[in-house]
């Protein structure tokens, strides 16, 4: 064998060794990819849950605001009606309704604050 042929065989052997090394790396790649993508998928799912919670909290807060506005409108109508009352029984009934509306307004405000807190927590 000539020195060129021997050198060519040595080069071929080096290439074969590199090929074997690449094939072993190729077998490891799916496991490495899974090790990287697994936590990423968990993080994506967690982010989606937080975004869904945030959207729900904002929607519920808007609904509470609408309910509170309707409650306040009803309260104002009762106040106006109270001024034209002619007897004590009707006056007391309106007063009772107004107290119920005040309590409901307090409850709605508390719920609204809870939804705001929940939305803020989801944003963090």
């Amino acid at each position: 064998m000539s020195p060129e042929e021997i050198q060519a065989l040595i080069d071929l052997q080096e290439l074969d060794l590199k090929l074997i090394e690449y094939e072993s790396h190729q077998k490891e790649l799916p496991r490495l990819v899974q090790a990287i993508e697994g936590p990423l998928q968990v993080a994506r799912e967690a982010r989606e849950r937080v975004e869904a919670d945030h959207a729900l909290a904002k929607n519920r807060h808007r609904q509470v605001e609408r309910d509170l506005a309707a409650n306040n409108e009803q309260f104002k109508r009762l106040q106006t009606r109270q001024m034209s009352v002619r007897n004590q029984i009707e006056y007391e009934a309106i007063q009772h309704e107004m107290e119920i509306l005040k309590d409901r307004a307090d409850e709605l405000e508390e719920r609204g604050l809870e939804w705001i807190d929940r939305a803020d927590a989801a944003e963090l």
Side-chain angles (χ1 to χ4, degrees):
M1 263 195 182
S2 71
E4 292 87 24
E5 292 175 331
I6 292 174
Q7 186 60 44
L9 285 173
I10 291 173
D11 291 342
L12 183 60
Q13 185 179 19
E14 288 175 7
L15 289 174
D16 282 342
L17 290 173
K18 284 184 180 181
L19 182 61
I20 291 169
E21 182 182 346
Y22 290 145
E23 287 173 348
S24 71
H25 286 297
Q26 188 177 9
K27 289 177 184 175
E28 290 180 39
L29 282 178
R31 184 185 56 80
L32 294 173
V33 168
Q34 179 61 31
I36 293 170
E37 287 183 348
L40 178 63
Q41 183 61 30
V42 169
R44 282 183 183 145
E45 290 169 359
R47 185 191 75 219
E48 288 171 4
R49 282 191 304 274
V50 167
E51 287 174 350
D53 283 348
H54 183 259
L56 173 69
K58 287 183 87 168
N59 287 338
R60 293 284 171 89
H61 179 253
R62 280 194 292 272
Q63 182 60 46
V64 167
E65 284 181 336
R66 286 190 293 269
D67 291 347
L68 185 58
N71 189 75
N72 290 341
E73 283 298 316
Q74 188 174 358
F75 185 83
K76 287 177 187 176
R77 282 194 301 273
L78 283 176
Q79 279 182 321
T80 303
R81 190 170 141 213
Q82 185 181 30
M83 294 188 191
S84 64
V85 169
R86 295 188 182 147
N87 63 44
Q88 185 65 25
I89 295 172
E90 190 177 353
Y91 180 81
E92 288 175 5
I94 290 174
Q95 279 296 116
H96 180 69
E97 281 185 63
M98 289 172 67
E99 288 299 319
I100 291 172
L101 290 173
K102 283 180 187 178
D103 292 342
R104 185 163 190 271
D106 290 342
E107 176 190 323
L108 287 169
E109 287 174 356
E110 284 181 34
R111 259 196 289 162
L113 290 174
E114 289 171 6
W115 286 115
I116 288 173
D117 290 343
R118 191 167 169 182
D120 289 345
E123 281 183 358
L124 300 176

